[in-house]
Amino acid sequence: MDWNEIQNFSSNIVFGILLFAMIAYWTNLSLFNNSNILAKMGRISTMGANAILFFILCSRWVVAGYFPLSNLYESLLFLTCMLLTIYLYIEAKTKSKLIGAVLIPVTLLISGFANLTLSPEMQKSSPLVPALQSNWLMMHVSMMLLSYSTLIIGSLLCILFLVISRYKDVDLKIIDDSALPLYNIMLDYYESKLVSPSTEIAELGKLKLLQSLDNWSYRIIGLGFPFLTIGIISGGVWANEAWGSYWSWDPKETWALITWLVFASYLHARITKGWEGKQTAILGSLGFFVIWICYLGVNFLGKGLHSYGWVS
């Protein structure tokens, strides 16, 4: 078994581990909501998959001699690794099992697309074309993929907000933080008695969850937006070095600008207009689809400077 076969085999293991993690998270939510065993199994599996992905990327870097972001396959692995890393951090902070049940299927689809759809030739490491032989490669592509991963998670939380709220306007300001400890105590009491919480307690829990989703989506999108800005600027510098022009309205460049405008509108609405809840969740949800058009749709449907090598 040569090095490329070992890499592919490792990627298939990641796919299998993520599938197991998804089943664990979903089963925990649907059948054994009070069991921590399945949640821990899902988290440990996610950490294991992420560790293997990190090893794959580092080994490709060492063996191939360049930063592993020269083609679509490598960028998909990098994106999956970043998504899992950010998710593990969020789960550690929020202790929420719901986010994993939503995000792990996305990473599973990305991993499956990379391993099962792309041809073996596209999965192999290959020498960089002259335009990619620049120190700006690491800066531009890594920043773009880091922004994609953070913005995808933030957008998913926006979609989750709309689903849980059933696309209704929710007044998040009515939640009094001083009442939360009492809520936790009462919820623990109901769980210990194995009875269902009252309608008031259940509604308060739903509002608290929506408030948490709203806050975390804002934080994560606020983190991803500077990465996107840096990625676009560094891409312009790289383009001028490679092709003699900072901006050429290439399809990928155009959709990157559209993506930037969507999330700039989201942050503008929150910071200057004071929007929250459903209004900003709609903008964030739109960003989820715009990102995928920019990242993959342009490569499949459009032809431009970014089409060769399947770079991002």
Side-chain angles (χ1 to χ4, degrees):
M1 182 178 293
D2 62 14
W3 178 71
N4 284 310
E5 291 176 344
I6 294 175
Q7 293 267 301
N8 295 339
F9 179 73
S10 300
S11 298
N12 291 330
I13 291 177
V14 170
F15 178 81
I17 294 176
L18 289 176
L19 178 60
F20 175 81
M22 183 187 71
I23 295 173
Y25 278 113
W26 281 10
T27 306
N28 178 70
L29 285 176
S30 60
L31 299 179
F32 306 101
N33 200 35
N34 294 322
S35 172
N36 290 323
I37 297 178
L38 288 172
K40 289 181 179 179
M41 292 173 63
R43 179 175 176 79
I44 292 173
S45 300
T46 303
M47 294 173 65
N50 202 31
I52 296 175
L53 280 172
F54 184 76
F55 168 77
I56 293 173
L57 291 170
C58 289
S59 62
R60 290 179 80 96
W61 193 351
V62 172
V63 174
Y66 61 84
F67 194 64
L69 284 176
S70 67
N71 57 36
L72 179 61
Y73 178 72
E74 292 172 345
S75 71
L76 288 168
L77 296 184
F78 188 87
L79 178 65
T80 306
C81 186
M82 289 296 99
L83 285 170
L84 294 177
T85 300
I86 297 171
Y87 158 67
L88 289 170
Y89 173 78
I90 296 174
E91 187 186 50
K93 289 293 184 179
T94 64
K95 308 299 181 183
S96 174
K97 307 160 190 172
L98 181 60
I99 300 175
V102 175
L103 181 62
I104 297 302
V106 175
T107 60
L108 182 67
L109 288 173
I110 297 173
S111 178
F113 176 76
N115 295 318
L116 304 177
T117 303
L118 300 183
S119 65
E121 290 300 321
M122 294 185 67
Q123 297 181 23
K124 292 181 179 180
S125 298
S126 57
L128 296 174
V129 297
L132 294 179
Q133 295 175 3
S134 169
N135 292 328
W136 288 103
L137 168 67
M138 184 185 301
M139 181 69 172
H140 169 60
V141 186
S142 61
M143 283 295 101
M144 291 301 295
L145 287 174
L146 184 56
S147 71
Y148 288 164
S149 58
T150 50
L151 294 175
I152 284 173
I153 294 178
S155 298
L156 277 175
L157 295 182
C158 290
I159 294 174
L160 189 58
F161 180 96
L162 294 176
V163 172
I164 295 177
S165 65
R166 298 181 180 179
Y167 203 71
K168 296 179 180 178
D169 290 316
V170 179
D171 187 1
L172 300 177
K173 294 185 176 64
I174 66 174
I175 303 177
D176 182 7
D177 290 339
S178 63
L180 293 179
L182 177 60
Y183 158 73
N184 292 330
I185 293 173
M186 295 179 69
L187 187 58
D188 290 340
Y189 169 78
Y190 280 111
E191 289 181 349
S192 65
K193 295 296 184 180
L194 298 179
V195 297
S196 299
S198 64
T199 302
E200 292 79 7
I201 295 296
E203 189 64 25
L204 181 58
K206 178 180 177 180
L207 288 175
K208 177 55 183 174
L209 174 60
L210 290 174
Q211 185 185 56
S212 179
L213 291 173
D214 186 68
N215 288 335
W216 273 100
S217 62
Y218 176 41
R219 292 179 186 179
I220 297 172
I221 290 175
L223 175 65
F225 184 75
F227 292 145
L228 179 63
T229 304
I230 295 172
I232 292 175
I233 293 174
S234 60
V237 176
W238 184 17
N240 184 63
E241 179 182 289
W243 302 301
S245 174
Y246 288 98
W247 193 270
S248 58
W249 294 104
D250 177 77
K252 181 78 89 173
E253 294 173 351
T254 303
W255 276 99
L257 177 61
I258 294 173
T259 304
W260 189 90
L261 290 174
V262 169
F263 287 104
S265 300
Y266 173 94
L267 294 174
H268 173 74
R270 291 207 67 131
I271 296 172
T272 64
K273 300 295 184 180
W275 287 12
E276 63 178 7
K278 175 184 173 181
Q279 293 173 309
T280 50
I282 293 174
L283 282 174
S285 301
L286 174 63
F288 178 81
F289 301 99
V290 173
I291 289 173
W292 285 111
I293 294 175
C294 179
Y295 178 48
L296 290 180
V298 172
N299 292 75
F300 287 111
L301 302 178
K303 295 294 182 181
L305 296 174
H306 290 78
S307 296
Y308 68 88
W310 298 84
V311 296
S312 300

